[in-house]
Amino acid sequence: MRILLVSDVYPPEIGSATKLMSELADELAARGHTVTVLTGWPSYKLAEADRASEFSERMMEGAVQVLRVQTLPLHNSNFIIRGFAQLFAPRQFWRVLKKHERRPFDAVLVYSPPLPLAFVGAWAKREGARFVLNVQDIFPQNAIDLGILKNPLAVALFRGIEGRAYANADVITAHSDGNRALLAAANPSVASKLTVLHNWVDMDVSAKAVRNFRVELGLQDKFVAVYGGVTGPAQGLDIILDLAGRVRDLSDLIFLIVGEGTEKAKLEGRAQAEGLDNVMFRPFVAQDVYPSLLRSSDVGFLTLSPRMKTPVVPGKILGYMAMSLPVLAIVNRESDAHVIVREAACGYTCCSDDLEGAEKLVRSLYACRGEPLMEMGRRGRIYADHNFSKAKITSSIEKILA
């Protein structure tokens, strides 16, 4: 098949979405498909080593053709600029695609957010492609829940885009049962198009570890709880600072936050003002050394703001499990991460509005150092291999695209 993958981010940008899309592109190409990725210009979530790199509008990266589009800032800008950027992006993406590709595609998979990119899928469908919309965050509902989207006209506009996106798609995939149920309840007219497609993870990722972050950061004798990813309002990372203040007596426990985002400066300022020397901030690390960051840690943690009301499952949880890293998930009540962690028995989970409960879990994990903690990690890897392996999920995607 000639397959088009549409995503606003792609390596060398860093994040769960870039990792998912690059792994999918490479796996589909390895299976003999002709794969084109249509994506944004690398500009935001970059490791230091990649900031000086030069990029072209069209590049061959292995067997995958990558078309990059310069747009208004889609990330790390105020929400008004980001909203306009999302509205303008589909036409900009389509223009670059038609500049380099005249032949129609057999199938197109659009990663959402940003939801307006679904228009690219609809236009490709007019030329004969089967259009699959991969919904990760349920927008605009998540932005409404977080208080980001308040203006009634803006809400109506994006609700309209949401309705058209779902109506145009041949298949709509959700990454958990809870997300599928929520979409079906809110959009009964497209319930028959909905299917669960779990996110995937490269189970061979552990072989790529190349650096010892414990030595680099001077953490040889520390118990390291790592967070790697975006530091935005949805993540609710203030929870970690709250916890850090409550567990100061665990003198060798360090919360290591590795990433960038709109909330990072505020978080760093608060940590400094409160003297939280058990919290350490570092910038993004390149995707190929991210596994070694996890290998250098004892626990992988993730948080979601309690204001979130959708069942979102942060992609980083699968990366932790693939690396046999025990999981501490402090997430909103609705998140299906609770189900995954409980079923896998790979760590602990609690609701993000239960700070006292979260503190108890941190202390429990700290007390489990050694074999009990390692056993949690092993169970997580086994569960991820059985349910979320790249090979298994890609086979499901092939059937959906066909």
Side-chain angles (χ1 to χ4, degrees):
M1 285 187 290
R2 279 174 48 82
I3 299 172
L4 174 65
L5 303 180
V6 182
S7 170
D8 67 323
V9 289
Y10 196 74
E13 295 227 37
I14 298 165
S16 57
T18 63
K19 197 169 188 305
L20 285 171
M21 297 308 288
S22 62
E23 288 174 354
L24 178 60
D26 290 341
E27 183 71 12
L28 288 171
R31 296 185 182 205
H33 302 289
T34 301
V35 180
T36 294
V37 174
L38 182 62
T39 188
W41 204 270
S43 59
Y44 164 44
K45 294 181 283 186
L46 295 171
E48 290 297 327
D50 292 317
R51 292 191 179 279
S53 300
E54 295 184 1
F55 303 95
S56 300
E57 191 172 80
R58 179 183 182 275
M59 302 176 70
M60 289 300 299
E61 299 184 6
V64 177
Q65 176 182 231
V66 181
L67 304 179
R68 291 190 165 90
V69 185
Q70 295 193 11
T71 67
L72 291 171
L74 287 163
H75 302 277
N76 210 29
S77 58
N78 72 60
F79 298 121
I80 295 175
I81 292 176
R82 199 179 309 177
F84 280 110
Q86 290 189 19
L87 294 174
F88 293 145
R91 285 292 179 187
Q92 294 170 310
F93 270 53
W94 187 251
R95 191 177 302 116
V96 170
L97 178 66
K98 291 290 97 179
K99 177 180 175 181
H100 297 282
E101 281 288 347
R102 295 291 183 181
R103 292 172 56 198
F105 290 88
D106 298 307
V108 54
L109 184 146
V110 177
Y111 181 102
S112 171
L115 183 63
L117 287 182
F119 286 117
V120 177
W123 298 331
K125 179 178 178 177
R126 291 178 187 172
E127 297 183 348
R130 180 170 171 80
F131 171 24
V132 177
L133 180 61
N134 180 251
V135 177
Q136 297 286 328
D137 294 339
I138 300 178
F139 183 85
Q141 189 58 52
N142 60 340
I144 295 169
D145 293 338
L146 290 168
I148 295 170
L149 197 59
K150 301 176 182 178
N151 184 285
L153 291 177
V155 170
L157 171 63
F158 283 109
R159 285 291 191 199
I161 291 173
E162 179 186 34
R164 289 184 62 185
Y166 296 164
N168 287 328
D170 293 302
V171 180
I172 305 164
T173 68
H175 66 270
S176 71
D177 292 322
N179 278 278
R180 183 198 177 282
L182 183 62
L183 284 170
N187 306 274
S189 63
V190 298
S192 62
K193 299 181 179 183
L194 288 162
T195 188
V196 174
L197 179 72
H198 294 294
N199 285 336
W200 52 95
V201 65
D202 184 355
M203 297 305 299
D204 297 326
V205 71
S206 59
K208 301 174 185 176
V210 295
R211 286 167 58 182
N212 189 332
F213 281 89
R214 281 190 180 274
V215 173
E216 290 184 24
L217 302 178
L219 302 175
Q220 293 94 323
D221 300 320
K222 299 295 185 181
F223 183 84
V224 181
V226 68
Y227 171 89
V230 175
T231 56
Q235 284 68 44
L237 285 165
D238 274 308
I239 298 165
I240 298 304
L241 303 193
D242 293 337
L243 285 173
R246 297 170 74 110
V247 297
R248 293 176 191 262
D249 57 299
L250 306 179
S251 58
D252 59 344
L253 169 62
I254 291 289
F255 294 99
L256 177 59
I257 300 175
V258 181
E260 305 288 345
T262 56
E263 300 292 296
K264 184 177 181 181
K266 185 186 77 172
L267 292 166
E268 287 182 308
R270 179 186 162 190
Q272 183 176 7
E274 297 180 12
L276 297 176
D277 54 6
N278 55 352
V279 180
M280 179 180 291
F281 293 89
R282 287 294 181 270
F284 279 123
V285 297
Q287 203 72 59
D288 60 347
V289 299
Y290 179 68
S292 60
L293 172 68
L294 302 189
R295 173 180 271 182
S296 299
S297 305
D298 296 288
V299 172
F301 73 80
L302 57 139
T303 58
L304 286 174
S305 168
R307 293 186 294 168
M308 294 280 285
K309 301 301 177 186
T310 56
V312 63
V313 179
K316 61 181 64 61
I317 192 174
L318 306 188
Y320 295 160
M321 295 169 75
M323 286 294 297
S324 302
L325 197 63
V327 176
L328 174 61
I330 307 169
V331 293
N332 59 307
R333 294 180 180 276
E334 297 81 2
S335 174
D336 280 346
H338 295 290
V339 177
I340 292 174
V341 174
R342 283 198 298 266
E343 287 186 352
C346 64
Y348 297 132
T349 174
C350 76
C351 297
S352 46
D353 57 1
D354 180 10
L355 191 58
E356 183 176 333
E359 179 188 348
K360 290 179 180 177
L361 296 187
V362 170
R363 294 186 182 277
S364 295
L365 281 170
Y366 181 84
C368 286
R369 285 175 297 175
E371 182 58 30
L373 209 60
M374 294 171 64
E375 179 58 25
M376 289 182 196
R378 285 192 288 267
R379 289 196 295 259
R381 180 172 171 81
I382 291 169
Y383 186 91
D385 188 39
H386 182 73
N387 293 281
F388 308 126
S389 73
K390 179 177 66 174
K392 178 177 181 176
I393 303 300
T394 302
S395 294
S396 298
I397 291 173
E398 280 185 304
K399 293 177 183 177
I400 293 171
L401 291 175

PDB file of all heavy atoms in Angstrom, residues 193-210:
ATOM      1  N   LYS A 193     -18.067   3.555  13.631  1.00  0.00           N
ATOM      2  CA  LYS A 193     -16.730   3.753  13.077  1.00  0.00           C
ATOM      3  C   LYS A 193     -15.632   3.579  14.119  1.00  0.00           C
ATOM      4  O   LYS A 193     -14.458   3.513  13.777  1.00  0.00           O
ATOM      5  CB  LYS A 193     -16.593   5.169  12.498  1.00  0.00           C
ATOM      6  CG  LYS A 193     -17.530   5.511  11.362  1.00  0.00           C
ATOM      7  CD  LYS A 193     -17.254   6.931  10.884  1.00  0.00           C
ATOM      8  CE  LYS A 193     -18.151   7.329   9.735  1.00  0.00           C
ATOM      9  NZ  LYS A 193     -17.822   8.690   9.223  1.00  0.00           N
ATOM     10  N   LEU A 194     -16.010   3.540  15.383  1.00  0.00           N
ATOM     11  CA  LEU A 194     -15.040   3.563  16.466  1.00  0.00           C
ATOM     12  C   LEU A 194     -14.473   2.183  16.757  1.00  0.00           C
ATOM     13  O   LEU A 194     -15.208   1.190  16.782  1.00  0.00           O
ATOM     14  CB  LEU A 194     -15.685   4.113  17.733  1.00  0.00           C
ATOM     15  CG  LEU A 194     -15.985   5.612  17.737  1.00  0.00           C
ATOM     16  CD1 LEU A 194     -16.993   5.959  18.827  1.00  0.00           C
ATOM     17  CD2 LEU A 194     -14.705   6.404  17.940  1.00  0.00           C
ATOM     18  N   THR A 195     -13.171   2.141  16.977  1.00  0.00           N
ATOM     19  CA  THR A 195     -12.521   0.902  17.386  1.00  0.00           C
ATOM     20  C   THR A 195     -11.372   1.240  18.327  1.00  0.00           C
ATOM     21  O   THR A 195     -10.840   2.346  18.304  1.00  0.00           O
ATOM     22  CB  THR A 195     -12.001   0.117  16.164  1.00  0.00           C
ATOM     23  OG1 THR A 195     -11.539  -1.165  16.583  1.00  0.00           O
ATOM     24  CG2 THR A 195     -10.865   0.853  15.474  1.00  0.00           C
ATOM     25  N   VAL A 196     -11.017   0.292  19.169  1.00  0.00           N
ATOM     26  CA  VAL A 196      -9.896   0.479  20.080  1.00  0.00           C
ATOM     27  C   VAL A 196      -8.610   0.042  19.394  1.00  0.00           C
ATOM     28  O   VAL A 196      -8.519  -1.081  18.877  1.00  0.00           O
ATOM     29  CB  VAL A 196     -10.095  -0.312  21.391  1.00  0.00           C
ATOM     30  CG1 VAL A 196      -8.849  -0.216  22.272  1.00  0.00           C
ATOM     31  CG2 VAL A 196     -11.303   0.216  22.143  1.00  0.00           C
ATOM     32  N   LEU A 197      -7.644   0.931  19.361  1.00  0.00           N
ATOM     33  CA  LEU A 197      -6.307   0.625  18.852  1.00  0.00           C
ATOM     34  C   LEU A 197      -5.317   1.100  19.906  1.00  0.00           C
ATOM     35  O   LEU A 197      -5.066   2.303  20.033  1.00  0.00           O
ATOM     36  CB  LEU A 197      -6.045   1.331  17.519  1.00  0.00           C
ATOM     37  CG  LEU A 197      -4.655   1.088  16.928  1.00  0.00           C
ATOM     38  CD1 LEU A 197      -4.542  -0.334  16.388  1.00  0.00           C
ATOM     39  CD2 LEU A 197      -4.343   2.102  15.826  1.00  0.00           C
ATOM     40  N   HIS A 198      -4.799   0.179  20.681  1.00  0.00           N
ATOM     41  CA  HIS A 198      -3.866   0.553  21.731  1.00  0.00           C
ATOM     42  C   HIS A 198      -2.600   1.170  21.123  1.00  0.00           C
ATOM     43  O   HIS A 198      -2.188   0.811  20.017  1.00  0.00           O
ATOM     44  CB  HIS A 198      -3.478  -0.663  22.565  1.00  0.00           C
ATOM     45  CG  HIS A 198      -4.609  -1.244  23.346  1.00  0.00           C
ATOM     46  ND1 HIS A 198      -5.223  -0.560  24.380  1.00  0.00           N
ATOM     47  CD2 HIS A 198      -5.261  -2.436  23.238  1.00  0.00           C
ATOM     48  CE1 HIS A 198      -6.194  -1.314  24.887  1.00  0.00           C
ATOM     49  NE2 HIS A 198      -6.245  -2.442  24.215  1.00  0.00           N
ATOM     50  N   ASN A 199      -2.011   2.086  21.851  1.00  0.00           N
ATOM     51  CA  ASN A 199      -0.705   2.592  21.436  1.00  0.00           C
ATOM     52  C   ASN A 199       0.319   1.471  21.525  1.00  0.00           C
ATOM     53  O   ASN A 199       0.125   0.479  22.224  1.00  0.00           O
ATOM     54  CB  ASN A 199      -0.300   3.782  22.305  1.00  0.00           C
ATOM     55  CG  ASN A 199      -1.064   5.033  21.938  1.00  0.00           C
ATOM     56  OD1 ASN A 199      -1.547   5.176  20.815  1.00  0.00           O
ATOM     57  ND2 ASN A 199      -1.193   5.956  22.877  1.00  0.00           N
ATOM     58  N   TRP A 200       1.393   1.640  20.816  1.00  0.00           N
ATOM     59  CA  TRP A 200       2.385   0.583  20.675  1.00  0.00           C
ATOM     60  C   TRP A 200       3.724   1.037  21.257  1.00  0.00           C
ATOM     61  O   TRP A 200       3.953   2.214  21.494  1.00  0.00           O
ATOM     62  CB  TRP A 200       2.550   0.217  19.203  1.00  0.00           C
ATOM     63  CG  TRP A 200       2.804   1.397  18.319  1.00  0.00           C
ATOM     64  CD1 TRP A 200       4.006   1.874  17.897  1.00  0.00           C
ATOM     65  CD2 TRP A 200       1.812   2.280  17.761  1.00  0.00           C
ATOM     66  NE1 TRP A 200       3.840   2.988  17.106  1.00  0.00           N
ATOM     67  CE2 TRP A 200       2.507   3.257  17.010  1.00  0.00           C
ATOM     68  CE3 TRP A 200       0.418   2.328  17.827  1.00  0.00           C
ATOM     69  CZ2 TRP A 200       1.844   4.283  16.336  1.00  0.00           C
ATOM     70  CZ3 TRP A 200      -0.235   3.355  17.149  1.00  0.00           C
ATOM     71  CH2 TRP A 200       0.469   4.309  16.414  1.00  0.00           C
ATOM     72  N   VAL A 201       4.601   0.066  21.464  1.00  0.00           N
ATOM     73  CA  VAL A 201       5.915   0.375  22.004  1.00  0.00           C
ATOM     74  C   VAL A 201       6.924  -0.612  21.425  1.00  0.00           C
ATOM     75  O   VAL A 201       6.615  -1.776  21.186  1.00  0.00           O
ATOM     76  CB  VAL A 201       5.904   0.314  23.546  1.00  0.00           C
ATOM     77  CG1 VAL A 201       5.635  -1.084  24.055  1.00  0.00           C
ATOM     78  CG2 VAL A 201       7.198   0.864  24.128  1.00  0.00           C
ATOM     79  N   ASP A 202       8.126  -0.108  21.188  1.00  0.00           N
ATOM     80  CA  ASP A 202       9.216  -0.948  20.682  1.00  0.00           C
ATOM     81  C   ASP A 202       9.790  -1.729  21.862  1.00  0.00           C
ATOM     82  O   ASP A 202      10.449  -1.169  22.733  1.00  0.00           O
ATOM     83  CB  ASP A 202      10.280  -0.052  20.048  1.00  0.00           C
ATOM     84  CG  ASP A 202      11.407  -0.853  19.409  1.00  0.00           C
ATOM     85  OD1 ASP A 202      11.408  -2.083  19.541  1.00  0.00           O
ATOM     86  OD2 ASP A 202      12.296  -0.243  18.781  1.00  0.00           O
ATOM     87  N   MET A 203       9.573  -3.024  21.874  1.00  0.00           N
ATOM     88  CA  MET A 203      10.032  -3.840  22.989  1.00  0.00           C
ATOM     89  C   MET A 203      11.541  -4.101  22.941  1.00  0.00           C
ATOM     90  O   MET A 203      12.106  -4.633  23.896  1.00  0.00           O
ATOM     91  CB  MET A 203       9.277  -5.175  23.020  1.00  0.00           C
ATOM     92  CG  MET A 203       7.791  -5.031  23.250  1.00  0.00           C
ATOM     93  SD  MET A 203       7.355  -4.097  24.747  1.00  0.00           S
ATOM     94  CE  MET A 203       8.110  -5.109  26.014  1.00  0.00           C
ATOM     95  N   ASP A 204      12.198  -3.735  21.860  1.00  0.00           N
ATOM     96  CA  ASP A 204      13.650  -3.900  21.758  1.00  0.00           C
ATOM     97  C   ASP A 204      14.395  -2.643  22.180  1.00  0.00           C
ATOM     98  O   ASP A 204      15.607  -2.545  21.999  1.00  0.00           O
ATOM     99  CB  ASP A 204      14.044  -4.256  20.315  1.00  0.00           C
ATOM    100  CG  ASP A 204      13.451  -5.589  19.884  1.00  0.00           C
ATOM    101  OD1 ASP A 204      13.343  -6.476  20.754  1.00  0.00           O
ATOM    102  OD2 ASP A 204      13.097  -5.728  18.704  1.00  0.00           O
ATOM    103  N   VAL A 205      13.683  -1.681  22.726  1.00  0.00           N
ATOM    104  CA  VAL A 205      14.265  -0.371  23.006  1.00  0.00           C
ATOM    105  C   VAL A 205      15.404  -0.442  24.017  1.00  0.00           C
ATOM    106  O   VAL A 205      16.318   0.376  23.992  1.00  0.00           O
ATOM    107  CB  VAL A 205      13.170   0.598  23.495  1.00  0.00           C
ATOM    108  CG1 VAL A 205      12.687   0.228  24.888  1.00  0.00           C
ATOM    109  CG2 VAL A 205      13.657   2.030  23.471  1.00  0.00           C
ATOM    110  N   SER A 206      15.405  -1.428  24.904  1.00  0.00           N
ATOM    111  CA  SER A 206      16.432  -1.481  25.942  1.00  0.00           C
ATOM    112  C   SER A 206      17.830  -1.647  25.371  1.00  0.00           C
ATOM    113  O   SER A 206      18.812  -1.290  26.009  1.00  0.00           O
ATOM    114  CB  SER A 206      16.133  -2.628  26.919  1.00  0.00           C
ATOM    115  OG  SER A 206      16.096  -3.860  26.242  1.00  0.00           O
ATOM    116  N   ALA A 207      17.948  -2.186  24.166  1.00  0.00           N
ATOM    117  CA  ALA A 207      19.265  -2.404  23.581  1.00  0.00           C
ATOM    118  C   ALA A 207      19.932  -1.104  23.148  1.00  0.00           C
ATOM    119  O   ALA A 207      21.107  -1.092  22.813  1.00  0.00           O
ATOM    120  CB  ALA A 207      19.151  -3.345  22.383  1.00  0.00           C
ATOM    121  N   LYS A 208      19.198   0.012  23.147  1.00  0.00           N
ATOM    122  CA  LYS A 208      19.734   1.268  22.637  1.00  0.00           C
ATOM    123  C   LYS A 208      20.310   2.166  23.738  1.00  0.00           C
ATOM    124  O   LYS A 208      20.738   3.278  23.460  1.00  0.00           O
ATOM    125  CB  LYS A 208      18.625   2.031  21.893  1.00  0.00           C
ATOM    126  CG  LYS A 208      18.041   1.246  20.715  1.00  0.00           C
ATOM    127  CD  LYS A 208      16.850   1.969  20.113  1.00  0.00           C
ATOM    128  CE  LYS A 208      16.198   1.135  19.025  1.00  0.00           C
ATOM    129  NZ  LYS A 208      14.976   1.777  18.493  1.00  0.00           N
ATOM    130  N   ALA A 209      20.300   1.708  24.972  1.00  0.00           N
ATOM    131  CA  ALA A 209      20.806   2.533  26.071  1.00  0.00           C
ATOM    132  C   ALA A 209      22.300   2.764  25.901  1.00  0.00           C
ATOM    133  O   ALA A 209      23.071   1.819  25.739  1.00  0.00           O
ATOM    134  CB  ALA A 209      20.521   1.848  27.401  1.00  0.00           C
ATOM    135  N   VAL A 210      22.722   4.037  25.936  1.00  0.00           N
ATOM    136  CA  VAL A 210      24.121   4.348  25.617  1.00  0.00           C
ATOM    137  C   VAL A 210      24.786   5.277  26.627  1.00  0.00           C
ATOM    138  O   VAL A 210      25.975   5.532  26.526  1.00  0.00           O
ATOM    139  CB  VAL A 210      24.226   4.989  24.211  1.00  0.00           C
ATOM    140  CG1 VAL A 210      23.811   3.999  23.142  1.00  0.00           C
ATOM    141  CG2 VAL A 210      23.378   6.263  24.112  1.00  0.00           C
TER     142      VAL A 210
END
